Amino acid sequence: MQEETFHEVADEFINLANELSDDWAMPFLSAAIMYAAARFNAFNFQASDGDQNNVEDAISYYTEQYNKMLRENLKEMA
């Protein structure tokens, strides 16, 4: 996956959140985005693997990726 395309897609979600921030508080939107990501990733896991024996590995993978991305963004914004 090309990094530029990845960031363009991510920016689409950010733009939507910015539009929604006219009507909703940022903490609410942040929680909604995290919930949506969790729900979509659960769906992605079920559609691509779905083996309940791999659930803990999937949770570790997704949480490690989120942790890495959050740290990168906090560093960039500092």
Side-chain angles (χ1 to χ4, degrees):
M1 177 182 327
Q2 295 181 353
E3 186 173 345
E4 184 178 323
T5 303
F6 178 82
H7 286 281
E8 286 176 11
V9 173
D11 286 345
E12 290 292 324
F13 289 106
I14 293 167
N15 291 336
L16 176 59
N18 287 335
E19 289 176 23
L20 293 171
S21 70
D22 291 339
D23 297 319
W24 302 97
M26 289 185 82
F28 180 84
L29 288 172
S30 179
I33 289 168
M34 285 192 292
Y35 180 81
R39 189 168 180 114
F40 188 84
N41 289 326
F43 171 77
N44 180 57
F45 170 75
Q46 293 297 334
S48 63
D49 182 333
D51 185 343
Q52 294 304 300
N53 294 319
N54 296 332
V55 167
E56 290 304 317
D57 289 340
I59 291 170
S60 292
Y61 171 77
Y62 287 119
T63 55
E64 287 169 12
Q65 291 301 307
Y66 179 80
N67 187 301
K68 178 182 170 186
M69 292 176 195
L70 180 60
R71 288 179 185 279
E72 287 174 1
N73 279 283
L74 288 170
K75 185 177 178 180
E76 286 178 16
M77 292 181 183

